[in-house]
Amino acid sequence: CVMAAPGKVAAFRLPPLPTIGEIIKLFRLKALKQLSQNFLLDLRLTDKIVKQAGELKNAHVCEVGPGPGGITRSILSAGVEQLLLIEKDARFIPGLQMLSEAAPGKVHIVHGDILTYKMEKAFPKHLKKNWEDEPPDIHIIGNLPFSVSTPLIIKWLENVSKRDGPFIYGRTQMTLTFQKEVGERLTANPGSKQRSRLSIMAQHLCTVENCFIIPGQAFVPKPEVDVAVVHFTPLVQPKIQQPFELVEKVVQSVFQFRRKYCFRGIETLFPENGRLKRTEQLMMTANVDPTLRPFQLSMSQFRNLCNAYRKMCDEDPSLFVFNYREELRQKKTKRSLLGSTGQTEQTEEENQL
């Protein structure tokens, strides 16, 4: 720490360290294409990412996939109380340990996979806040590999819905990177061609902000796409107050045939026997125009669909476990056994799915 004037807290400063580029050379690090790794070496950009997280002074931060430690340095420079680093690739651990030694007592390194790491015990209990309160002094930050970004955000959105995992502490905020196209999907409004399953799942649970775009050439090696920095703050009340699994099933079904009218996807929620009648019943109860395309539906229309579907599932519990793809598979097996005709039409539908 730098010496401070009497009565003032000293600002934390990292001692002189090798640059990120030098760290990469020193430990002979190379981004692995199969892990979709891309290094961000420009500390002005890493500072900009960390700034989007908000006030981090004396906060507790979890950084996902720190790699050679570019964003890590910017987080430490923001004056955090504690920094938890979760890194799957063992090659990066020595470089991160060098950073840990430069910030004594502040950094805890975990060699593990964020998809399986238990976040429930990652932070001190005294940081817990009630869900209705302001977000806790806990932040998740990460330059995510493209291969893990979508499954990870879906996992965390489910945690938000159930208020477990990193959200057992309250409405923990997240600042994460995604492919530009994924970032656009996460924040897309009704009517946008980028509107998708991700849009609904994220926006019904969080305030989602597409902060800024990082050009691909800022990364090493340069990815084929630009990168979006996206900030998430869980909502006090979700816009669709139904279980995560139910919302996900309805939303996935609607977007299965995104170029067709929305009723075509909604049909896949029901078994063939009585499918048309039940689809009409659901759409009438939800007051949704069956000729709208999936990307045109508003959040309130999705809420109505989920509420109406929940009511139908309560009346017929077998409905929720129905799997349209499984029904198609069984029909295909039956056709092949019987050598039946009409295979072309069915195969075309299977290909679309």
Side-chain angles (χ1 to χ4, degrees), residues 9-47:
V9 179
F12 178 79
R13 292 282 184 274
L14 281 168
L17 287 165
T19 65
I20 299 299
E22 287 165 349
I23 291 277
I24 289 169
K25 285 178 185 174
L26 178 64
F27 295 104
R28 297 179 181 178
L29 301 174
K30 187 180 178 184
L32 297 180
K33 192 172 183 181
Q34 63 267 35
L35 296 179
S36 60
Q37 291 174 338
N38 302 97
F39 303 151
L40 190 56
L41 309 186
D42 188 337
L43 291 181
R44 289 170 302 177
L45 284 172
T46 60
D47 284 347

Tab-separated table of all heavy atoms in Angstrom, residues 9-47:
chain	number	residue	atom	x	y	z
A	9	VAL	N	-7.703	6.362	4.250
A	9	VAL	CA	-7.329	4.985	3.942
A	9	VAL	C	-6.422	4.990	2.716
A	9	VAL	O	-6.692	5.668	1.736
A	9	VAL	CB	-8.603	4.135	3.656
A	9	VAL	CG1	-8.227	2.713	3.302
A	9	VAL	CG2	-9.530	4.159	4.869
A	10	ALA	N	-5.355	4.223	2.786
A	10	ALA	CA	-4.412	4.173	1.659
A	10	ALA	C	-5.043	3.483	0.476
A	10	ALA	O	-5.741	2.487	0.621
A	10	ALA	CB	-3.153	3.423	2.088
A	11	ALA	N	-4.802	4.013	-0.715
A	11	ALA	CA	-5.281	3.378	-1.946
A	11	ALA	C	-4.362	2.210	-2.263
A	11	ALA	O	-3.154	2.300	-2.097
A	11	ALA	CB	-5.273	4.385	-3.085
A	12	PHE	N	-4.976	1.092	-2.729
A	12	PHE	CA	-4.153	-0.076	-3.044
A	12	PHE	C	-3.492	0.104	-4.412
A	12	PHE	O	-4.131	0.493	-5.381
A	12	PHE	CB	-5.010	-1.350	-3.037
A	12	PHE	CG	-4.227	-2.572	-3.401
A	12	PHE	CD1	-3.417	-3.187	-2.465
A	12	PHE	CD2	-4.264	-3.078	-4.690
A	12	PHE	CE1	-2.664	-4.307	-2.802
A	12	PHE	CE2	-3.520	-4.187	-5.043
A	12	PHE	CZ	-2.722	-4.801	-4.080
A	13	ARG	N	-2.221	-0.189	-4.476
A	13	ARG	CA	-1.486	-0.142	-5.748
A	13	ARG	C	-0.685	-1.424	-5.895
A	13	ARG	O	0.035	-1.821	-4.972
A	13	ARG	CB	-0.514	1.049	-5.782
A	13	ARG	CG	-1.188	2.409	-5.815
A	13	ARG	CD	-1.713	2.740	-7.222
A	13	ARG	NE	-2.275	4.079	-7.251
A	13	ARG	CZ	-3.526	4.378	-6.920
A	13	ARG	NH1	-4.329	3.433	-6.501
A	13	ARG	NH2	-3.972	5.621	-6.981
A	14	LEU	N	-0.798	-2.058	-7.055
A	14	LEU	CA	0.037	-3.229	-7.318
A	14	LEU	C	1.481	-2.782	-7.503
A	14	LEU	O	1.737	-1.749	-8.128
A	14	LEU	CB	-0.438	-3.933	-8.597
A	14	LEU	CG	-1.677	-4.827	-8.474
A	14	LEU	CD1	-2.177	-5.197	-9.853
A	14	LEU	CD2	-1.382	-6.076	-7.662
A	15	PRO	N	2.439	-3.539	-6.988
A	15	PRO	CA	3.845	-3.199	-7.234
A	15	PRO	C	4.185	-3.429	-8.703
A	15	PRO	O	3.402	-4.046	-9.429
A	15	PRO	CB	4.594	-4.184	-6.331
A	15	PRO	CG	3.658	-5.330	-6.163
A	15	PRO	CD	2.278	-4.744	-6.174
A	16	PRO	N	5.330	-2.932	-9.187
A	16	PRO	CA	5.714	-3.163	-10.592
A	16	PRO	C	5.741	-4.657	-10.908
A	16	PRO	O	6.298	-5.452	-10.154
A	16	PRO	CB	7.118	-2.552	-10.675
A	16	PRO	CG	7.165	-1.555	-9.572
A	16	PRO	CD	6.320	-2.111	-8.472
A	17	LEU	N	5.076	-5.023	-12.000
A	17	LEU	CA	4.980	-6.428	-12.410
A	17	LEU	C	5.288	-6.558	-13.889
A	17	LEU	O	5.177	-5.574	-14.638
A	17	LEU	CB	3.556	-6.942	-12.158
A	17	LEU	CG	3.130	-7.189	-10.714
A	17	LEU	CD1	1.616	-7.330	-10.642
A	17	LEU	CD2	3.789	-8.446	-10.172
A	18	PRO	N	5.667	-7.752	-14.342
A	18	PRO	CA	5.789	-7.956	-15.787
A	18	PRO	C	4.456	-7.648	-16.469
A	18	PRO	O	3.389	-7.834	-15.875
A	18	PRO	CB	6.129	-9.446	-15.917
A	18	PRO	CG	6.611	-9.859	-14.571
A	18	PRO	CD	5.925	-8.977	-13.574
A	19	THR	N	4.488	-7.182	-17.709
A	19	THR	CA	3.239	-6.932	-18.456
A	19	THR	C	2.562	-8.271	-18.732
A	19	THR	O	3.184	-9.336	-18.603
A	19	THR	CB	3.522	-6.234	-19.796
A	19	THR	OG1	4.274	-7.142	-20.616
A	19	THR	CG2	4.294	-4.937	-19.604
A	20	ILE	N	1.276	-8.198	-19.136
A	20	ILE	CA	0.556	-9.435	-19.474
A	20	ILE	C	1.264	-10.156	-20.621
A	20	ILE	O	1.399	-11.383	-20.616
A	20	ILE	CB	-0.921	-9.131	-19.851
A	20	ILE	CG1	-1.649	-8.488	-18.668
A	20	ILE	CG2	-1.648	-10.399	-20.260
A	20	ILE	CD1	-1.724	-9.337	-17.427
A	21	GLY	N	1.743	-9.373	-21.589
A	21	GLY	CA	2.490	-9.968	-22.713
A	21	GLY	C	3.726	-10.700	-22.230
A	21	GLY	O	4.048	-11.797	-22.714
A	22	GLU	N	4.427	-10.117	-21.267
A	22	GLU	CA	5.633	-10.747	-20.715
A	22	GLU	C	5.288	-12.002	-19.914
A	22	GLU	O	6.026	-12.990	-19.943
A	22	GLU	CB	6.393	-9.738	-19.838
A	22	GLU	CG	7.103	-8.656	-20.654
A	22	GLU	CD	7.556	-7.462	-19.823
A	22	GLU	OE1	7.148	-7.351	-18.638
A	22	GLU	OE2	8.303	-6.644	-20.363
A	23	ILE	N	4.159	-11.955	-19.203
A	23	ILE	CA	3.693	-13.138	-18.464
A	23	ILE	C	3.437	-14.290	-19.442
A	23	ILE	O	3.807	-15.442	-19.197
A	23	ILE	CB	2.393	-12.822	-17.679
A	23	ILE	CG1	2.665	-11.853	-16.523
A	23	ILE	CG2	1.699	-14.087	-17.186
A	23	ILE	CD1	3.188	-12.492	-15.260
A	24	ILE	N	2.786	-13.961	-20.561
A	24	ILE	CA	2.473	-14.983	-21.573
A	24	ILE	C	3.759	-15.615	-22.109
A	24	ILE	O	3.859	-16.842	-22.262
A	24	ILE	CB	1.624	-14.368	-22.714
A	24	ILE	CG1	0.208	-14.061	-22.193
A	24	ILE	CG2	1.547	-15.291	-23.921
A	24	ILE	CD1	-0.653	-13.233	-23.114
A	25	LYS	N	4.773	-14.770	-22.359
A	25	LYS	CA	6.067	-15.289	-22.845
A	25	LYS	C	6.795	-16.066	-21.750
A	25	LYS	O	7.346	-17.146	-21.989
A	25	LYS	CB	6.942	-14.134	-23.326
A	25	LYS	CG	6.510	-13.565	-24.667
A	25	LYS	CD	7.396	-12.400	-25.068
A	25	LYS	CE	6.882	-11.760	-26.367
A	25	LYS	NZ	7.642	-10.535	-26.695
A	26	LEU	N	6.785	-15.522	-20.530
A	26	LEU	CA	7.508	-16.127	-19.414
A	26	LEU	C	7.037	-17.554	-19.143
A	26	LEU	O	7.849	-18.467	-18.945
A	26	LEU	CB	7.316	-15.262	-18.158
A	26	LEU	CG	7.966	-15.746	-16.855
A	26	LEU	CD1	9.486	-15.750	-16.994
A	26	LEU	CD2	7.547	-14.864	-15.689
A	27	PHE	N	5.712	-17.754	-19.138
A	27	PHE	CA	5.160	-19.072	-18.839
A	27	PHE	C	4.774	-19.850	-20.107
A	27	PHE	O	4.106	-20.878	-20.021
A	27	PHE	CB	3.952	-18.939	-17.899
A	27	PHE	CG	4.305	-18.408	-16.542
A	27	PHE	CD1	4.019	-17.095	-16.184
A	27	PHE	CD2	4.964	-19.215	-15.616
A	27	PHE	CE1	4.359	-16.604	-14.928
A	27	PHE	CE2	5.302	-18.725	-14.360
A	27	PHE	CZ	5.014	-17.424	-14.017
A	28	ARG	N	5.197	-19.296	-21.261
A	28	ARG	CA	4.947	-19.952	-22.571
A	28	ARG	C	3.473	-20.310	-22.736
A	28	ARG	O	3.111	-21.439	-23.077
A	28	ARG	CB	5.815	-21.208	-22.705
A	28	ARG	CG	7.301	-20.887	-22.701
A	28	ARG	CD	8.135	-22.125	-22.819
A	28	ARG	NE	9.549	-21.810	-22.792
A	28	ARG	CZ	10.526	-22.713	-22.845
A	28	ARG	NH1	10.219	-23.992	-22.927
A	28	ARG	NH2	11.788	-22.351	-22.811
A	29	LEU	N	2.629	-19.340	-22.479
A	29	LEU	CA	1.188	-19.551	-22.575
A	29	LEU	C	0.725	-19.359	-24.012
A	29	LEU	O	1.204	-18.486	-24.725
A	29	LEU	CB	0.450	-18.560	-21.662
A	29	LEU	CG	0.819	-18.638	-20.177
A	29	LEU	CD1	0.148	-17.523	-19.404
A	29	LEU	CD2	0.446	-19.995	-19.590
A	30	LYS	N	-0.213	-20.177	-24.399
A	30	LYS	CA	-0.772	-20.078	-25.747
A	30	LYS	C	-2.273	-20.312	-25.656
A	30	LYS	O	-2.720	-21.260	-24.989
A	30	LYS	CB	-0.121	-21.136	-26.650
A	30	LYS	CG	-0.518	-21.014	-28.108
A	30	LYS	CD	0.162	-22.095	-28.933
A	30	LYS	CE	-0.278	-22.006	-30.395
A	30	LYS	NZ	0.291	-23.093	-31.213
A	31	ALA	N	-3.048	-19.420	-26.289
A	31	ALA	CA	-4.505	-19.593	-26.275
A	31	ALA	C	-4.873	-20.860	-27.041
A	31	ALA	O	-4.390	-21.077	-28.154
A	31	ALA	CB	-5.182	-18.373	-26.909
A	32	LEU	N	-5.686	-21.711	-26.426
A	32	LEU	CA	-6.086	-22.965	-27.065
A	32	LEU	C	-7.406	-22.761	-27.812
A	32	LEU	O	-8.411	-22.380	-27.216
A	32	LEU	CB	-6.243	-24.070	-26.010
A	32	LEU	CG	-4.967	-24.450	-25.235
A	32	LEU	CD1	-5.259	-25.551	-24.234
A	32	LEU	CD2	-3.867	-24.893	-26.194
A	33	LYS	N	-7.365	-23.046	-29.110
A	33	LYS	CA	-8.548	-22.836	-29.944
A	33	LYS	C	-9.706	-23.726	-29.482
A	33	LYS	O	-10.870	-23.317	-29.483
A	33	LYS	CB	-8.206	-23.122	-31.411
A	33	LYS	CG	-9.268	-22.654	-32.384
A	33	LYS	CD	-8.804	-22.785	-33.819
A	33	LYS	CE	-9.867	-22.246	-34.770
A	33	LYS	NZ	-9.452	-22.377	-36.181
A	34	GLN	N	-9.362	-24.978	-29.086
A	34	GLN	CA	-10.431	-25.908	-28.677
A	34	GLN	C	-11.146	-25.457	-27.412
A	34	GLN	O	-12.266	-25.867	-27.132
A	34	GLN	CB	-9.887	-27.339	-28.514
A	34	GLN	CG	-8.843	-27.528	-27.422
A	34	GLN	CD	-7.416	-27.387	-27.953
A	34	GLN	OE1	-7.181	-26.587	-28.850
A	34	GLN	NE2	-6.497	-28.178	-27.408
A	35	LEU	N	-10.505	-24.578	-26.620
A	35	LEU	CA	-11.145	-24.014	-25.425
A	35	LEU	C	-11.677	-22.608	-25.684
A	35	LEU	O	-12.112	-21.927	-24.758
A	35	LEU	CB	-10.150	-23.982	-24.257
A	35	LEU	CG	-9.634	-25.337	-23.751
A	35	LEU	CD1	-8.643	-25.152	-22.619
A	35	LEU	CD2	-10.779	-26.238	-23.301
A	36	SER	N	-11.643	-22.191	-26.935
A	36	SER	CA	-12.086	-20.855	-27.386
A	36	SER	C	-11.518	-19.746	-26.497
A	36	SER	O	-12.229	-18.859	-26.046
A	36	SER	CB	-13.615	-20.760	-27.490
A	36	SER	OG	-14.253	-20.987	-26.265
A	37	GLN	N	-10.199	-19.822	-26.241
A	37	GLN	CA	-9.530	-18.828	-25.393
A	37	GLN	C	-9.046	-17.646	-26.222
A	37	GLN	O	-8.526	-17.823	-27.325
A	37	GLN	CB	-8.328	-19.474	-24.680
A	37	GLN	CG	-8.709	-20.490	-23.626
A	37	GLN	CD	-7.498	-21.207	-23.056
A	37	GLN	OE1	-6.442	-21.259	-23.676
A	37	GLN	NE2	-7.646	-21.775	-21.870
A	38	ASN	N	-9.236	-16.449	-25.689
A	38	ASN	CA	-8.733	-15.220	-26.303
A	38	ASN	C	-8.257	-14.303	-25.190
A	38	ASN	O	-8.999	-14.025	-24.261
A	38	ASN	CB	-9.821	-14.519	-27.128
A	38	ASN	CG	-10.390	-15.419	-28.222
A	38	ASN	OD1	-11.424	-16.041	-28.025
A	38	ASN	ND2	-9.713	-15.497	-29.345
A	39	PHE	N	-7.012	-13.826	-25.289
A	39	PHE	CA	-6.439	-12.980	-24.238
A	39	PHE	C	-6.688	-11.509	-24.540
A	39	PHE	O	-6.583	-11.069	-25.685
A	39	PHE	CB	-4.928	-13.203	-24.131
A	39	PHE	CG	-4.524	-14.630	-23.872
A	39	PHE	CD1	-3.302	-15.121	-24.328
A	39	PHE	CD2	-5.349	-15.494	-23.172
A	39	PHE	CE1	-2.915	-16.433	-24.092
A	39	PHE	CE2	-4.976	-16.806	-22.927
A	39	PHE	CZ	-3.753	-17.275	-23.391
A	40	LEU	N	-7.006	-10.756	-23.509
A	40	LEU	CA	-7.172	-9.307	-23.615
A	40	LEU	C	-5.981	-8.647	-22.911
A	40	LEU	O	-5.855	-8.732	-21.695
A	40	LEU	CB	-8.500	-8.891	-22.970
A	40	LEU	CG	-8.972	-7.448	-23.192
A	40	LEU	CD1	-9.061	-7.122	-24.679
A	40	LEU	CD2	-10.328	-7.232	-22.538
A	41	LEU	N	-5.095	-8.042	-23.700
A	41	LEU	CA	-3.838	-7.520	-23.161
A	41	LEU	C	-3.894	-6.026	-22.838
A	41	LEU	O	-3.059	-5.528	-22.082
A	41	LEU	CB	-2.687	-7.777	-24.150
A	41	LEU	CG	-2.529	-9.218	-24.670
A	41	LEU	CD1	-1.270	-9.326	-25.508
A	41	LEU	CD2	-2.486	-10.217	-23.522
A	42	ASP	N	-4.830	-5.304	-23.429
A	42	ASP	CA	-4.913	-3.849	-23.269
A	42	ASP	C	-5.534	-3.501	-21.912
A	42	ASP	O	-6.733	-3.694	-21.692
A	42	ASP	CB	-5.754	-3.272	-24.418
A	42	ASP	CG	-5.733	-1.749	-24.443
A	42	ASP	OD1	-5.474	-1.139	-23.391
A	42	ASP	OD2	-5.983	-1.175	-25.516
A	43	LEU	N	-4.716	-2.992	-20.986
A	43	LEU	CA	-5.217	-2.703	-19.637
A	43	LEU	C	-6.230	-1.566	-19.607
A	43	LEU	O	-7.018	-1.454	-18.665
A	43	LEU	CB	-4.045	-2.400	-18.693
A	43	LEU	CG	-3.150	-3.614	-18.366
A	43	LEU	CD1	-2.042	-3.227	-17.413
A	43	LEU	CD2	-3.957	-4.764	-17.791
A	44	ARG	N	-6.251	-0.721	-20.644
A	44	ARG	CA	-7.285	0.323	-20.706
A	44	ARG	C	-8.655	-0.328	-20.902
A	44	ARG	O	-9.660	0.116	-20.339
A	44	ARG	CB	-6.996	1.303	-21.841
A	44	ARG	CG	-5.796	2.216	-21.593
A	44	ARG	CD	-5.424	2.978	-22.834
A	44	ARG	NE	-5.125	2.074	-23.951
A	44	ARG	CZ	-4.822	2.470	-25.183
A	44	ARG	NH1	-4.799	3.747	-25.486
A	44	ARG	NH2	-4.558	1.583	-26.124
A	45	LEU	N	-8.680	-1.394	-21.711
A	45	LEU	CA	-9.940	-2.106	-21.945
A	45	LEU	C	-10.338	-2.933	-20.727
A	45	LEU	O	-11.525	-3.006	-20.384
A	45	LEU	CB	-9.828	-3.001	-23.186
A	45	LEU	CG	-9.893	-2.270	-24.533
A	45	LEU	CD1	-9.575	-3.199	-25.676
A	45	LEU	CD2	-11.288	-1.653	-24.740
A	46	THR	N	-9.365	-3.571	-20.076
A	46	THR	CA	-9.715	-4.341	-18.876
A	46	THR	C	-10.227	-3.411	-17.774
A	46	THR	O	-11.163	-3.741	-17.060
A	46	THR	CB	-8.520	-5.183	-18.371
A	46	THR	OG1	-7.429	-4.320	-18.051
A	46	THR	CG2	-8.077	-6.197	-19.414
A	47	ASP	N	-9.634	-2.211	-17.669
A	47	ASP	CA	-10.132	-1.212	-16.705
A	47	ASP	C	-11.566	-0.811	-17.045
A	47	ASP	O	-12.411	-0.634	-16.148
A	47	ASP	CB	-9.250	0.047	-16.727
A	47	ASP	CG	-7.917	-0.157	-16.004
A	47	ASP	OD1	-7.770	-1.168	-15.293
A	47	ASP	OD2	-7.023	0.705	-16.171
